[in-house]
Amino acid sequence: MPRWQHRGLIPATVDKALTVQRTMTTTKRFFDALGVATTALAALLIGAAAQAQSSSPAPLPTVRLSAHTRIENLPDTTLPVLNNAAIEAFLVEPLVVEQNELDAAPRIVATQEGRVLLSRGDRAYARGPAGAALIDDPARPQKIYRIFRTATPLLDPLTGAVLGYEAQYVGKASLVRGESGPGTADATSAASPATIDIVAAKEEIRVGDRLLPEPPQSMLNYAPHTPATQVDARIVSVYGSAVANAAQNQVVSLNRGSLDGLENGQVLAILKDGERLVDKTDAARSDMKLPNERNGLLMVFRTFPRVAYALVLNITDAARIGDRLVNPR
């Protein structure tokens, strides 16, 4: 007798149980097959990775980075600072006058013991022009006078025109006693020149040199700056020197002045004139001119209508009369 009959089970229940058993068996076989496939796939991937690793280049070395402070010098485009001590001696020295203007100034007329040349500490005598005696006026207590030599013409290197007359500074004198006699308040005695003492001498002073009142001292602040307009000037002369070349901290005169827009503190670049050469690589041996090159800087510190004076701040080669001056770049 069948087991299900023995146990009293009904046929429907037996069929259901057999169906569940067959489903579980099928599922087990599926997962077993899936496990085998997964294992094979994993082995395949591991092999491929190993092969790729063996064929790839060696890894790059590890570089460790850390923060650091780095300093780099920027191009120096600032204008040089003016050394006031370098121009203090020149602030009142250069004098540009009109023709015959210096002839109307008081002059040295005699020395003690017939001396030809005077220096610091010597005594001399001076007289003013006719109708303008050199007197010690209590209302104008002018005691110090500057001494100048005969003025020489300043010629424009481009046109040859006379820009003015430069009076050469030679020293200072102190007025000890004014003139007396005819032409003064004391007209009862014979004419007597004024007495002066030489208190400073840049070079030897002689009879015939002229006296001009010492100007009042003023506090000038020279702030170097570039001109607001384009400047095209030339060096006219080297102040106080017979040479044609100027070095650093020397003073030169320019053929432009306040009428041309120049003012104190303006800085100009000095251009060195390029050489004129023959092109030896050209069969025709043609002439050529090399470009002008920057040679240094100078700064204007005193201006007159058509002439200005400037201090050479720095120079590569000596500045020469006729060198061109333009706005610095």
Side-chain angles (χ1 to χ4, degrees):
M1 181 175 56
R3 186 178 299 176
W4 60 272
Q5 291 180 351
H6 175 73
R7 293 181 181 179
L9 297 176
I10 61 177
T13 302
V14 173
D15 289 339
K16 187 176 182 179
L18 291 175
T19 301
V20 171
Q21 185 178 5
R22 286 194 296 269
T23 302
M24 292 179 61
T25 302
T26 302
T27 303
K28 181 178 182 301
R29 289 175 181 175
F30 171 76
F31 279 107
D32 289 343
L34 182 61
V36 173
T38 303
T39 302
L41 180 60
L44 181 62
L45 293 175
I46 292 173
Q51 183 179 1
Q53 184 175 6
S54 62
S55 62
S56 62
L60 295 176
T62 302
V63 178
R64 186 180 298 276
L65 301 179
S66 59
H68 291 283
T69 301
R70 292 175 172 83
I71 300 176
E72 181 180 355
N73 293 328
L74 298 176
D76 187 9
T77 58
T78 59
L79 297 176
V81 178
L82 177 67
N83 181 9
N84 288 336
I87 67 168
E88 284 178 353
F90 302 106
L91 292 180
V92 296
E93 288 187 11
L95 179 66
V96 177
V97 297
E98 296 298 330
Q99 188 177 13
N100 301 325
E101 182 178 343
L102 203 61
D103 294 340
R107 64 196 183 279
I108 297 176
V109 295
T111 64
Q112 285 187 331
E113 301 175 355
R115 293 181 181 177
V116 177
L117 301 177
L118 300 170
S119 61
R120 186 170 181 261
D122 290 337
R123 174 158 289 189
Y125 304 96
R127 297 185 66 184
L134 181 60
I135 60 175
D136 189 3
D137 188 355
R140 295 186 301 170
Q142 176 66 50
K143 294 293 184 179
I144 304 299
Y145 288 81
R146 293 182 293 165
I147 307 173
F148 290 92
R149 184 105 348 120
T150 304
T152 57
L154 293 174
L155 303 179
D156 191 318
L158 296 179
T159 64
V162 177
L163 302 172
Y165 293 83
E166 181 182 75
Q168 182 183 356
Y169 172 85
V170 293
K172 291 183 181 181
S174 173
L175 179 61
V176 177
R177 187 170 43 249
E179 289 186 62
S180 61
T184 67
D186 183 9
T188 59
S189 60
S192 177
T195 302
I196 59 173
D197 285 339
I198 307 301
V199 296
K202 185 177 180 180
E203 50 186 86
E204 292 83 359
I205 300 169
R206 63 188 69 159
V207 172
D209 289 343
R210 301 288 174 162
L211 305 177
L212 290 176
E214 173 86 343
Q217 292 186 352
S218 59
M219 298 299 295
L220 297 177
N221 183 17
Y222 295 95
H225 61 280
T226 58
T229 59
Q230 289 296 321
V231 176
D232 187 3
R234 295 293 190 277
I235 294 179
V236 175
S237 66
V238 180
Y239 179 74
S241 176
V243 299
N245 301 334
Q248 185 171 340
N249 291 335
Q250 282 193 282
V251 173
V252 296
S253 60
L254 317 181
N255 67 338
R256 298 289 185 269
S258 58
L259 295 179
D260 304 294
L262 289 188
E263 59 185 30
N264 293 343
Q266 287 181 340
V267 176
L268 301 175
I270 306 170
L271 296 185
K272 184 177 181 180
D273 192 26
E275 291 185 81
R276 297 184 180 274
L277 304 173
V278 175
D279 186 359
K280 298 180 179 179
T281 64
D282 185 5
R285 297 288 186 174
S286 58
D287 294 333
M288 62 179 180
K289 181 182 180 299
L290 300 182
N292 296 336
E293 298 290 347
R294 176 165 158 171
N295 191 30
L297 292 173
L298 53 75
M299 195 203 74
V300 177
F301 69 88
R302 192 174 187 191
T303 60
F304 294 91
R306 295 197 295 166
V307 177
Y309 287 90
L311 177 74
V312 178
L313 300 177
N314 56 61
I315 196 74
T316 302
D317 194 6
R320 296 173 175 82
I321 295 176
D323 281 354
R324 187 181 178 187
L325 308 172
V326 297
N327 300 50
R329 295 182 180 179

